[in-house]
């Protein structure tokens, strides 16, 4: 755990692995933010909808997730409760990294890197400082499915897949810009996670 009484903020770089377009978010969270809360931060900052399971893999090989979901099959030996572990326990120095996987079907893998530890700043709500790239749509088949979707939307009309285009028209606001990023919206989404009691929760449960 972090030092008692210390107010440290962790600057994290969250990067979606494997995408041809750079998709990343730079956020600031309290060092005593739990991994359960960090999951919500990643969801809100990236633009995901918190609709699937997730897991963190720490540098020491331990895995963490949400053990309240008792039908996932994830409560096997070695899988720990992310709500009982804080960021400072697993990211101890700049360049330390966590692996975060969202949606075990599409397998969206994220790299969470500790960029800097800020000291002497008042604790506050998580914030988004910067970012690049639009969040892929949910349930599009992971990185490879997303690449196919982008090709279908941007390729020559004669080569576009009509089924993918129909799906895209139903799921996306077209035209879709894979490089677009709205910093104000991402930051507002992060701040909206914190309730009046100071606890983090997904907005639908606030």
């Amino acid at each position: 755990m972090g030092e008692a009484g210390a107010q440290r903020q962790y600057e994290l770089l969250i990067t979606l692995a494997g995408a041809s377009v750079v998709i990343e978010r730079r956020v600031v969270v309290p060092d005593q933010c739990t991994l359960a809360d960090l999951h919500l931060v990643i969801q809100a900052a990236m633009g995901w909808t918190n609709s699937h399971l997730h897991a963190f893999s720490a540098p020491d090989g331990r895995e963490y997730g949400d053990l309240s979901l008792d039908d996932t099959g994830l409560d096997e030996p070695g899988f720990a409760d992310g709500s009982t572990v804080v960021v400072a326990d697993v990211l101890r120095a700049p360049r330390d990294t966590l692996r975060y996987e969202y949606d075990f079907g599409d397998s969206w893998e994220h790299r969470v890197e500790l960029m800097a530890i800020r000291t002497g700043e008042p604790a506050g709500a998580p914030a988004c400082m910067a970012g690049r790239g639009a969040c892929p749509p949910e349930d599009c088949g992971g990185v490879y499915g997303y690449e196919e979707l982008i090709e279908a939307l941007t390729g020559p009309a004669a080569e576009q897949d009509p089924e993918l285009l129909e799906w895209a028209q139903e799921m996306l606001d077209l035209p879709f810009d894979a490089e677009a990023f709205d910093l104000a919206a991402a930051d507002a989404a992060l701040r909206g996670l914190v309730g009046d009691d100071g606890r983090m929760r997904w907005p639908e449960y606030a």
Side-chain angles (χ1 to χ4, degrees):
M1 300 287 286
E3 273 182 46
Q7 292 186 333
R8 302 191 305 171
Q9 306 292 313
Y10 270 30
E11 184 178 325
L12 306 174
L13 181 64
I14 304 158
T15 306
L16 184 64
S20 61
V21 176
V22 176
I23 304 173
E24 64 183 21
R25 306 288 185 262
R26 190 178 291 260
V27 303
V28 176
V29 301
D31 68 336
Q32 297 300 299
C33 172
T34 68
L35 292 186
D37 286 343
L38 181 58
H39 156 68
L40 297 181
V41 167
I42 295 172
Q43 289 287 303
M46 292 296 294
W48 298 118
T49 63
N50 196 26
S51 302
H52 299 280
L53 303 176
H54 74 279
F56 287 96
S57 298
D60 63 4
R62 295 203 69 184
E63 294 191 333
Y64 303 87
D66 185 353
L67 297 191
S68 69
L69 303 174
D70 58 10
D71 61 347
T72 65
L74 292 177
D75 50 348
E76 300 173 354
F79 193 86
D81 186 353
S83 68
T84 65
V85 180
V86 299
V87 173
D89 289 335
V90 291
L91 296 178
R92 302 178 184 278
R95 295 193 176 182
D96 283 355
T97 62
L98 277 171
R99 175 180 170 272
Y100 169 81
E101 182 179 3
Y102 172 59
D103 184 351
F104 300 152
D106 281 3
S107 189
W108 299 104
E109 292 190 13
H110 304 68
R111 183 175 188 267
V112 182
E113 181 177 1
L114 175 57
M115 304 301 291
I117 299 175
R118 302 178 176 190
T119 59
E121 297 182 8
C128 187
M129 303 169 55
R132 290 193 288 174
C135 183
E138 299 269 359
D139 303 317
C140 69
V143 170
Y144 298 109
Y146 183 49
E147 299 297 329
E148 291 179 354
L149 179 61
I150 292 176
E151 289 178 10
L153 292 173
T154 60
E159 299 177 7
Q160 290 178 345
D161 185 323
E163 291 185 1
L164 270 179
L165 284 177
E166 182 179 355
W167 184 89
Q169 289 167 355
E170 293 177 356
M171 301 298 294
L172 300 173
D173 293 327
L174 299 179
F176 178 70
D177 183 356
E179 297 185 357
F181 172 67
D182 187 334
L183 176 59
D187 190 54
L190 282 188
R191 295 180 185 279
L193 294 173
V194 182
D196 293 338
D197 59 1
R199 296 181 179 180
M200 265 193 263
R201 56 179 62 85
W202 197 246
E204 62 185 326
Y205 300 116

